[in-house]
Amino acid sequence: MTASGRSLRVFITGASSGIGAALAREYAAQGASLGLAARRGDALAALVSSLPHPERHRSYAVDVLDHAALAAAAADFLAALGGADIVIASAGISHGTLTERPEDLPVFEAVFATNVTATVATFTPFVLPMKSQGGPCRLVAIGSVAGVRGMRGAGAYCASKAAVHAYCESLRLELHTSNIRVVTIAPGYIDTPMTRNNRFPMPFLMPAARFAERAVRAIARGDSYRVLPWQMGVAATLLRALPNAVFDRLFARAPTKPRREAA
């Protein structure tokens, strides 16, 4: 609820599963009115029907790569609810990639289009309406600790999340004097369908529901950057501080993410 007693108005992409769905459940439990966007309309409908007060929520079966459809969903949500308090760009994909494999170039492009460009496309329709409506607002991007350092076989994903972090820093400066706070949430290993494909140990693995609880608190505070769980924040800080020669020796033979097989 807002200070005026009105329910929060929250728009989330990538809402049909994983982190997006966990955030939707957490906000719905707190009484928010949601706009939920995802490609899979059936999964989205099932999620909405499972939430408290499903009549409060609007669902949009759109692909975030279709920027016109995404803008139309944003316009419908703004018109129906009279504004938006929080927008969360949660849609994301991850595939192992190898630069030496020509067939992986389209995978690089798809990862950047979904993880980076679609984040911009998610925020764009909301910035001016948020400025004009007044009151505290949040633009939230889901980054990753994978964006702290590049990992073997994960060039597309690591680079895309590093780009999200840098983009949000730029956006934060652009909106510094406005009523909008830009929040970057960098998950470590969260138990979702995406991470279940990993073939390596995942330290400090966190249940999605617990992640959502803590992320929602960080968003409410307007934290500029928050790693969850905190243990991964410590690990990321240490990794960033390692000299390149040491980092290379430690991780040059690390296991890799599965690559997407050619069609």
Side-chain angles (χ1 to χ4, degrees), residues 1-15:
M1 301 290 285
T2 64
S4 65
R6 173 180 50 77
S7 65
L8 281 172
R9 301 162 296 185
V10 184
F11 186 90
I12 304 172
T13 65

Side-chain angles (χ1 to χ4, degrees), residues 119-197:
T119 295
V120 182
T122 298
F123 291 163
T124 297
F126 289 99
V127 174
L128 291 180
M130 281 180 160
K131 283 184 174 181
S132 65
Q133 75 189 36
C137 297
R138 305 283 187 264
L139 295 175
V140 183
I142 302 299
S144 173
V145 294
V148 174
R149 296 213 68 152
M151 289 293 172
R152 176 174 173 261
Y157 187 68
C158 291
S160 73
K161 291 304 185 178
V164 168
H165 297 175
Y167 162 66
C168 287
E169 285 194 335
S170 296
L171 185 60
R172 193 170 73 240
L173 296 177
E174 293 169 18
L175 299 176
H176 182 69
T177 59
S178 77
N179 60 312
I180 305 170
R181 295 291 172 265
V182 179
V183 178
T184 305
I185 302 293
Y189 294 115
I190 310 302
D191 186 12
T192 66
M194 181 185 292
T195 58
R196 288 171 200 149
N197 290 328

Side-chain angles (χ1 to χ4, degrees), residues 94-130:
S94 174
H95 297 290
T97 47
L98 292 173
T99 300
E100 68 189 46
R101 303 294 292 266
E103 64 270 28
D104 282 5
L105 182 56
V107 183
F108 272 86
E109 293 173 332
V111 170
F112 269 79
T114 303
N115 295 0
V116 185
T117 308
T119 295
V120 182
T122 298
F123 291 163
T124 297
F126 289 99
V127 174
L128 291 180
M130 281 180 160

